[in-house]
Amino acid sequence: MIDLKNALTFLTDRPSIGMAGGFGSGLLLSVQSFVTDEHALKIAASLGVVFGMLVAALTLILKCIELVEKVHSKIKRKS
């Protein structure tokens, strides 16, 4: 758990976090009508689900590859 002193030190050493937050809030304010549009929210939610499924599938593939490599290396050690 990060205590308050470490959190303040972290944010002090990285001012880009505050700049990104300020820029992001200003950007959201300027595109507020687009963000509150029902159709845009449905499209964004659909894209989020699709990208989430892609990330999950890629993670599963990478874990399978890692498992195959581990099994292959154990078979080599026994031989």
Side-chain angles (χ1 to χ4, degrees):
M1 189 94 185
I2 298 175
D3 60 355
L4 183 60
K5 184 177 179 181
N6 287 340
L8 291 175
T9 303
F10 180 81
L11 291 174
T12 302
D13 292 342
R14 293 165 182 85
S16 59
I17 295 172
M19 289 186 287
F23 178 74
S25 64
L27 186 65
L28 282 176
L29 182 62
S30 65
V31 293
Q32 183 178 9
S33 62
F34 177 74
V35 173
T36 57
D37 185 23
E38 289 276 330
H39 298 291
L41 290 176
K42 288 179 183 177
I43 292 171
S46 300
L47 288 175
V49 169
V50 169
F51 286 132
M53 287 178 12
L54 287 174
V55 168
L58 288 173
T59 303
L60 180 65
I61 291 169
L62 289 173
K63 287 297 181 181
C64 288
I65 291 171
E66 183 180 329
L67 179 66
V68 168
E69 287 177 352
K70 282 183 181 181
V71 168
H72 184 69
S73 66
K74 282 188 178 187
I75 291 173
K76 274 187 168 181
R77 285 183 191 166
K78 288 183 179 181
S79 296

